[in-house]
Amino acid sequence: MQAAISTSIPPSFTAFRSDNSAARCHFAAGLRFCGLHRHVLLSLGEAIETRQLRKRISASLSESGASKNGFDYDLVIIGAGVGGHGAALHAVEKGLKTAIIEGDVVGGTCVNRGCVPSKALLAVSGRMRDLQSEHHLKALGLHVPAAGYDRQGVADHANNLASKIRSNLTNSMKAMGVDILTGVGTILDTQKVKYGKVGFPDTVITAKGIIIATGSVPFVPNGIEVDGKTVFTSDHALKLEWVPDWIAIVGSGYIGLEFSDVYTALGSEVTFIEALDQIMPGFDPEIGKLAQRVLINPRKIDFHTGVFAKKITPAKDGKPVSIELIDAKTKEPKDTLEVDAALIATGRAPFTKGLGLENINVVTERGFVPVDERMRVIDADGKLVPHVYCIGDANGKMMLAHTASAQGISVVEQVSGRDHVVNHMSIPAACFTHPEISMVGYTEPQAKEKADKEGFKISVAKTSFKANTKALAENEGEGLAKLIYRPDTGEILGVHILGLHAADLIHEASNAIALGTRIQDIKFAVHAHPTLSEVLDELFKAAKVEIHASKTVAEPVAV
Ligand SMILES: Cc1cc2nc3c(=O)[nH]c(=O)nc-3n(C[C@H](O)[C@H](O)[C@H](O)COP(=O)(O)OP(=O)(O)OC[C@H]3O[C@@H](n4cnc5c(N)ncnc54)[C@H](O)[C@@H]3O)c2cc1C
Ligand SMILES: NC(=O)c1ccc[n+]([C@@H]2O[C@H](COP(=O)([O-])OP(=O)(O)OC[C@H]3O[C@@H](n4cnc5c(N)ncnc54)[C@H](O)[C@@H]3O)[C@@H](O)[C@H]2O)c1
């Protein structure tokens, strides 16, 4: 594995990252926020009230500023990304004296180099698509002169949004009484952490519990030379310093697909390079096929599958970016591409080196911190490390912002004396292309495998956006919702949606899975007409479950 070489690492972070041979980070100063955690949305009045409550709690904990059990803090979190932020706010709400240590800027990947700026760019690409689609506009009876854009204006939108969200996150923690400690955190013992900036003496603090929330950085395969200008990762691409005429995107996962939506809307031609035999291999195969028909084929996108980019050389001395492709299986040379730019979107590497894990006898697995289902860290002998937890991208269970936050909240519940386990099968994911793709639970092949192993049958139901009034009114009838379920019990095993606002629609299904609601019950829930939510209503109604609703008569409610 080769590090993505940063050209702009602040001095304090150079030292912080220096022992990370697996992956170094591009800590671009600038961007911020994630509307992720409900606490962010606290009004100022609520925040002040909560802060007063927090002060009263602190006073009762200790007069000397230490927590009541003799530690400096009840909880210390290393890393102020969305996982750390979610955990910190929940901890304060639970009355825990809490500190969060951040070596760079609050908000981590999601706010500064991930979800937030990418969704700002995707908001622009969505509007550009609408304005450029003559066919679509004509169908609505609209006539709009040619659409154009100002690259710097688009880049500013992403940067400004990140800054705004970053300060929202910071202010929400300050208002709640979380101590934000600046510097690199290193674990000294299961209840002791040091932190400090380069050139300053370290401070040692003790805590009843420690949460590792140090996140991840772009993974760049060996042989790929990143110069940050013509060969770059999402860290650079989000700044939108230029829009290449022709860009190769290595990897057709979430990042690749979302950036293909942005670049093609802004006028680029895209070539995907994907190691597996199929483009967008992570999706349910049927949704993947439809995604290819809707998101790839009609756009200026071509692709090479079953190939690795063995060597990528940045543009130099008037020569374009050169990409040497080899067959993923035989390793034989296949082709050499010459393009204007290359975006490396081949996954992310955990950022866990230099954390002092050796001081608590923990050995990482491909860089990830091993944890059990309660996010408790497991040591090299397979035993639980007391008092230490790891959440978010650093444990690799599911690299999504809301998962990091949910895991953090779950850990705080445990630290506060209430057992809690996150049900990862109920966590939705979404790809914010136009139209969007969303999913929760198993894909059809995964569900089949589980069914064969455990000896039950699965069924599949589907509905089309073409039958939905609201979608048709919007002239957005392209789309499919798919339900994979157990006909004998009505259990929802997976739901996959491609279509307008799929990312919002998935929550009815994910909440049903989280709450254990069965299809025979949810199919009686009433949906407003005409709404896109009726796509899911129809989906549940289309399922053929062998048993009846557990409760057919609602409790009478006085109106
Ligand atoms: C381009 C892109 C788009 C994305 N879009 C989405 C999306 O739409 N939806 C979604 O759910 N997910 C998205 N993700 C994934 C999401 O950003 C991550 O899953 C999420 O940020 C993980 O949160 P985290 O708290 O675990 O880590 P991070 O957000 O990476 O935060 C870790 C923090 O820890 C700090 N740190 C590390 N080591 C130390 C140390 N020793 N001492 C002190 N501080 C330290 C880092 O500086 C950083 O601030 C996207 C990712 C990318 C790259
Ligand atoms: N909307 C979202 O929720 C969102 C958006 C962006 C990123 N993310 C998160 O960020 C993480 C990283 O995203 P990503 O798209 O980089 O990773 P990914 O794992 O989604 O996709 C990586 C793709 O690259 C391919 N690949 C890997 N090595 C390759 C090589 N050498 N040559 C060619 N192809 C190769 C893989 O087969 C895979 O298809 C994901 O875990 C995702 O959860 C989420």
Side-chain angles (χ1 to χ4, degrees):
M1 200 191 313
Q2 180 190 294
I5 309 298
S6 173
T7 50
S8 60
I9 303 171
S12 60
F13 242 53
T14 311
F16 166 34
R17 306 277 161 181
S18 62
D19 58 348
N20 178 10
S21 58
R24 262 185 261 155
C25 195
H26 302 275
F27 281 84
L31 323 175
R32 275 316 132 146
F33 177 59
C34 208
L36 243 197
H37 202 282
R38 64 199 158 90
H39 300 289
V40 176
L41 304 175
L42 283 179
S43 69
L44 188 60
E46 284 173 305
I48 291 168
E49 226 174 74
T50 318
R51 190 180 190 179
Q52 283 161 351
L53 171 73
R54 167 76 191 92
K55 277 189 179 154
R56 287 202 298 277
I57 294 163
S58 278
S60 71
L61 284 172
S62 158
E63 286 171 9
S64 65
S67 78
K68 66 181 168 202
N69 40 45
F71 294 96
D72 296 320
Y73 290 97
D74 294 311
L75 188 65
V76 165
I77 301 158
I78 308 177
V82 289
H85 173 259
L89 294 192
H90 195 59
V92 173
E93 203 175 80
K94 291 290 165 196
L96 303 182
K97 187 170 191 232
T98 305
I100 194 160
I101 304 173
E102 175 53 57
D104 185 39
V105 283
V106 170
T109 304
C110 178
V111 176
N112 302 292
R113 302 169 293 276
C115 334
V116 173
S118 65
K119 263 77 262 178
L121 296 183
L122 282 155
V124 173
S125 71
R127 279 173 177 74
M128 277 299 282
R129 281 188 192 291
D130 284 346
L131 294 172
Q132 285 168 339
S133 169
E134 219 177 293
H135 172 72
H136 176 72
L137 292 170
K138 211 170 159 195
L140 295 170
L142 294 175
H143 171 71
V144 178
Y149 69 91
D150 156 31
R151 184 201 52 77
Q152 191 56 52
V154 177
D156 289 347
H157 171 53
N159 190 36
N160 293 341
L161 181 70
S163 301
K164 186 179 161 74
I165 306 293
R166 181 171 55 232
S167 61
N168 284 357
L169 243 71
T170 308
N171 292 341
S172 66
M173 288 199 286
K174 284 186 182 161
M176 295 278 287
V178 176
D179 283 351
I180 304 176
L181 311 174
T182 307
V184 177
T186 305
I187 296 173
L188 298 175
D189 201 342
T190 56
Q191 295 185 302
K192 200 183 280 178
V193 174
K194 71 170 182 178
Y195 72 95
K197 291 186 196 165
V198 173
F200 291 89
D202 284 333
T203 305
V204 176
I205 49 175
T206 57
K208 199 169 171 223
I210 297 171
I211 299 182
I212 299 166
T214 51
S216 66
V217 292
F219 164 68
V220 179
N222 272 330
I224 298 179
E225 188 189 332
V226 168
D227 68 348
K229 291 185 171 62
T230 57
V231 180
F232 44 77
T233 67
S234 54
D235 286 358
H236 308 99
L238 288 166
K239 295 183 200 159
L240 202 72
E241 280 170 353
W242 65 302
V243 178
D245 287 341
W246 185 9
I247 182 163
I249 301 184
V250 186
S252 64
Y254 283 81
I255 293 181
L257 205 53
E258 289 188 348
F259 270 103
S260 75
D261 195 285
V262 171
Y263 279 122
T264 51
L266 299 184
S268 306
E269 288 183 32
V270 167
T271 296
F272 272 118
I273 295 165
E274 170 56 54
L276 296 181
D277 285 338
Q278 177 197 328
I279 198 160
M280 299 172 284
F283 296 132
D284 177 270
E286 196 171 2
I287 294 289
K289 262 190 207 147
L290 181 61
Q292 186 174 325
R293 189 159 66 72
V294 176
L295 300 172
I296 307 287
N297 296 349
R299 300 182 181 175
K300 287 184 176 167
I301 301 179
D302 68 351
F303 53 86
H304 300 257
T305 52
V307 289
F308 280 124
K310 183 174 183 280
K311 189 172 178 208
I312 302 188
T313 314
K316 209 175 170 188
D317 303 330
K319 287 192 193 142
V321 172
S322 151
I323 305 178
E324 289 175 31
L325 299 179
I326 56 165
D327 188 289
K329 290 189 189 103
T330 64
K331 309 286 181 266
E332 292 295 318
K334 283 270 297 209
D335 213 344
T336 300
L337 302 179
E338 291 189 338
V339 291
D340 299 315
L343 167 65
I344 314 306
T346 47
R348 300 196 41 99
F351 190 75
T352 51
K353 286 218 169 176
L355 245 181
L357 292 172
E358 62 285 359
N359 297 331
I360 51 171
N361 187 32
V362 171
V363 177
T364 59
E365 291 164 5
R366 291 178 300 118
F368 293 106
V369 177
V371 291
D372 74 350
E373 75 286 358
R374 287 177 174 77
M375 311 304 132
R376 295 177 294 194
V377 172
I378 299 169
D379 74 11
D381 303 319
K383 294 193 185 116
L384 292 178
V385 179
H387 319 297
V388 185
Y389 302 80
C390 176
I391 62 168
D393 283 9
N395 71 31
K397 275 188 180 284
M398 201 184 215
M399 293 173 113
L400 293 171
H402 44 281
T403 305
S405 189
Q407 291 174 348
I409 289 168
S410 174
V411 166
V412 170
E413 285 293 299
Q414 296 169 56
V415 171
S416 314
R418 281 167 296 275
D419 191 23
H420 190 269
V421 178
V422 174
N423 174 6
H424 288 86
M425 289 313 290
S426 74
I427 298 182
C431 192
F432 295 83
T433 43
H434 298 91
E436 295 170 344
I437 306 174
S438 63
M439 67 226 75
V440 62
Y442 297 97
T443 61
E444 193 176 341
Q446 287 168 342
K448 265 195 186 127
E449 195 185 322
K450 180 179 164 70
D452 289 347
K453 214 184 273 170
E454 295 175 22
F456 62 83
K457 281 208 172 88
I458 61 161
S459 293
V460 172
K462 291 175 212 171
T463 48
S464 164
F465 278 61
K466 285 194 178 77
N468 180 272
T469 307
K470 185 70 189 296
L472 293 177
E474 300 283 343
N475 196 34
E476 300 275 0
E478 194 73 83
L480 173 81
K482 173 174 175 179
L483 166 68
I484 304 147
Y485 65 101
R486 279 184 71 154
D488 57 343
T489 63
E491 186 187 348
I492 301 168
L493 298 172
V495 173
H496 304 263
I497 311 173
L498 185 152
L500 184 64
H501 296 308
D504 292 295
L505 293 178
I506 197 69
H507 293 93
E508 183 166 5
S510 61
N511 288 345
I513 295 176
L515 300 173
T517 311
R518 299 291 164 111
I519 296 166
Q520 60 271 28
D521 294 322
I522 204 170
K523 72 199 291 180
F524 287 103
V526 182
H527 296 68
H529 177 74
T531 60
L532 293 171
S533 73
E534 290 169 298
V535 169
L536 281 204
D537 187 23
E538 291 299 324
L539 189 65
F540 294 132
K541 287 190 164 79
K544 305 223 172 331
V545 180
E546 289 156 16
I547 52 174
H548 295 294
S550 52
K551 193 168 156 191
T552 50
V553 182
E555 299 289 338
V557 177
V559 183

